[in-house]
Structure formats: structure tokens, C-alpha cells
């Protein structure tokens, strides 16, 4: 069985589930050329109208993408959105409600809004770029599904290890030394929300890792001993055939295999 630490940098990136993938260059250029730049303050909530009608690209700062659940003991899932990512591909083609989703500005941020209608118009104007949107939307959805299953079926300890690994990968950390620094500053409460656990449980796990010599707390962050990741699977669901969390379904999802989109 392969292990996550043995993957190349590109495959490490594909194996992350806690963070959306970096936006591809052609999509990013389209967003920057056609979008509207907005500056937001920490603590703001992005309005439902904006969420319903726009894609939201994070240029700088930090966002929390929050999805409500029906479990009163664990009422929400929280995704961390770091720069150069889209918050979601929600409602790419359909105009439905967003009642279970919200976006909170976790730190002062700059976002770019791109109207969904502009993306839909690419069906006629630039089918290749539209296809890239569709491909990335499917990939985003698959990773979100994997994350939900992982959070609901994994132990708190496994969730913490996977999250720490994903942070290091998302921040483009070179796995070249025994100790690695996490520079993303998150509060204990924020990490607990992301992992779908209690703050008390998080504190107990962090204390245990510190005693084992796997973690050293620094001001505003952590230093992690890479030994912690030695047995981490490339896939959070333990698929032995995983290639950086691109499942067989996504491997078959090629542009040439897409159903032809006809304009009427």
C-alpha cells in the first residue's frame, strides 16, 4: 500500500480534501478579467443574494464556508478557503436556494465576484473554458463528498492528522525536514469546527501529540514532526489504488468523454 508521504508534490495536492484545489490559470484569468473586486472585514457574512448568483474567488485573506446539518450536537461543517480558491461550484447551472450554506469572513479579505450568467454564456462563447469549469465542478464535488464521509466515519485523531497534513500541502510546504511549520493561524475553536469535534477533545489530542514529541506549539501556530504522517494513506478513505484521491470515476472524466452540449 502506498503512503501519502511518498507522493509527488502534485499528487500530495490532489490528496487533500480539507482545502479546495487552486483555481486553474485559464479560469483565474477569466474571473479576474470579468469579476468585481470587493474588500470585506473580519466577521462579515456574505449575503445570500451574492452566494446564489455569483462564484466567489478569494484573492487574499481567509473565508469559512459553512454548511448547516440537521444534527443539533454538531450543527455545521466548516471548510477553510485560502487564497486562489473558489468557495464552491454550488449552483453552477441551477438557481436553487442556499439556505443551508453561508460564508463568513474569517480574516480581512479581498474577494472577486463573477456572475454565474457569464459562466453559463461560455457554452456559446468558449466551450473549452466552460468544459474546464464543468470538470473542476465535478472534481470539487467529489472532494467535498470524500470530506463529508471522512469527517463522519473517522476517529478524531485521524481527522486531526489528515487536517495537519492537508494544511502543509495547501501551503506548498516542502517535506524536506523532520519538523515542519504550519503558518496558517487558526484558533482552537476554529480548528474544532473544521474537524467536527469539541474543543475539549481537540485540546486532549494536541496535548497527547505534544507529549509524544510529534507537535511543538509555537506562538500562533505549530511545528509538526513528519513522523506523524508516515502511515497516512494517499486517500482519506483508505483506497489502496488511490492516485492522489483521483478516483477511477474522475480518471474516466475526460473532456473527450463529455456529453456534447448543443446550443438551441
Amino acid at each position: 500500500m502506498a503512503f501519502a508521504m511518498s507522493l509527488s508534490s502534485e499528487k500530495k495536492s490532489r490528496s487533500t480534501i480539507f482545502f479546495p484545489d487552486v483555481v486553474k490559470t485559464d479560469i483565474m484569468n477569466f474571473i479576474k478579467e470579468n469579476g468585481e473586486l470587493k474588500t470585506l472585514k473580519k466577521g462579515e457574512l456574505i449575503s445570500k443574494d451574492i452566494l446564489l448568483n455569483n462564484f466567489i474567488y478569494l484573492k487574499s485573506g481567509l473565508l469559512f464556508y459553512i454548511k448547516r446539518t440537521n444534527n443539533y450536537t454538531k450543527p455545521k461543517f466548516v471548510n477553510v478557503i485560502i487564497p486562489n480558491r473558489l468557495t464552491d461550484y454550488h449552483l453552477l447551472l441551477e438557481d436553487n436556494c442556499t439556505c443551508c450554506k453561508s460564508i463568513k469572513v474569517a480574516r480581512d479579505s479581498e474577494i472577486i465576484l463573477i456572475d454565474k450568467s457569464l459562466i453559463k454564456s461560455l457554452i456559446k462563447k468558449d466551450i473549452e473554458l466552460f468544459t474546464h469549469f464543468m470538470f473542476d465542478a465535478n472534481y470539487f464535488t467529489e472532494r467535498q463528498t470524500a470530506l463529508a464521509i471522512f469527517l463522519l466515519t473517522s476517529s478524531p485523531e485521524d481527522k486531526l492528522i489528515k487536517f495537519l497534513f492537508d494544511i502543509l500541502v495547501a501551503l506548498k510546504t516542502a517535506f524536506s525536514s523532520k519538523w515542519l511549520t504550519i503558518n496558517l493561524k487558526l484558533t482552537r475553536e476554529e480548528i474544532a469546527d473544521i474537524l467536527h469535534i469539541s474543543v475539549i477533545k481537540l485540546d486532549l489530542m494536541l496535548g497527547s501529540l505534544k507529549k509524544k514529541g510529534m507537535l511543538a506549539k509555537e506562538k500562533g501556530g505549530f511545528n509538526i514532526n513528519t513522523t506523524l504522517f508516515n502511515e497516512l494513506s494517499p486517500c482519506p478513505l483508505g483506497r489502496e489504488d488511490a492516485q492522489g484521491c483521483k478516483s477511477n470515476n474522475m480518471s474516466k472524466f475526460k473532456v473527450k468523454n463529455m456529453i456534447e452540449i448543443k446550443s438551441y
Side-chain angles (χ1 to χ4, degrees), residues 49-61:
D49 182 61
I50 290 177
L51 180 57
L52 181 64
N53 295 297
N54 299 270
F55 278 88
I56 300 170
Y57 170 85
L58 181 61
K59 183 178 179 183
S60 65

Side-chain angles (χ1 to χ4, degrees), residues 128-145:
E128 183 177 358
L129 183 57
F130 181 78
T131 300
H132 290 173
F133 268 106
M134 293 295 290
F135 179 88
D136 285 1
N138 276 271
Y139 187 29
F140 181 98
T141 301
E142 178 170 278
R143 289 170 79 159
Q144 289 292 292
T145 301

Side-chain angles (χ1 to χ4, degrees), residues 27-40 46 50 54-60 63 84-87 109-115:
I27 295 177
M28 185 187 301
N29 290 339
F30 178 80
I31 290 172
K32 289 182 176 180
E33 291 170 5
N34 296 277
E36 176 187 359
L37 180 66
K38 282 187 173 291
T39 301
L40 302 173
I46 295 178
I50 290 177
N54 299 270
F55 278 88
I56 300 170
Y57 170 85
L58 181 61
K59 183 178 179 183
S60 65
L63 301 176
N84 303 320
R85 271 85 173 165
L86 286 166
T87 59
S109 300
E110 284 186 318
I111 63 172
I112 298 177
L113 304 178
I114 180 74
D115 194 297

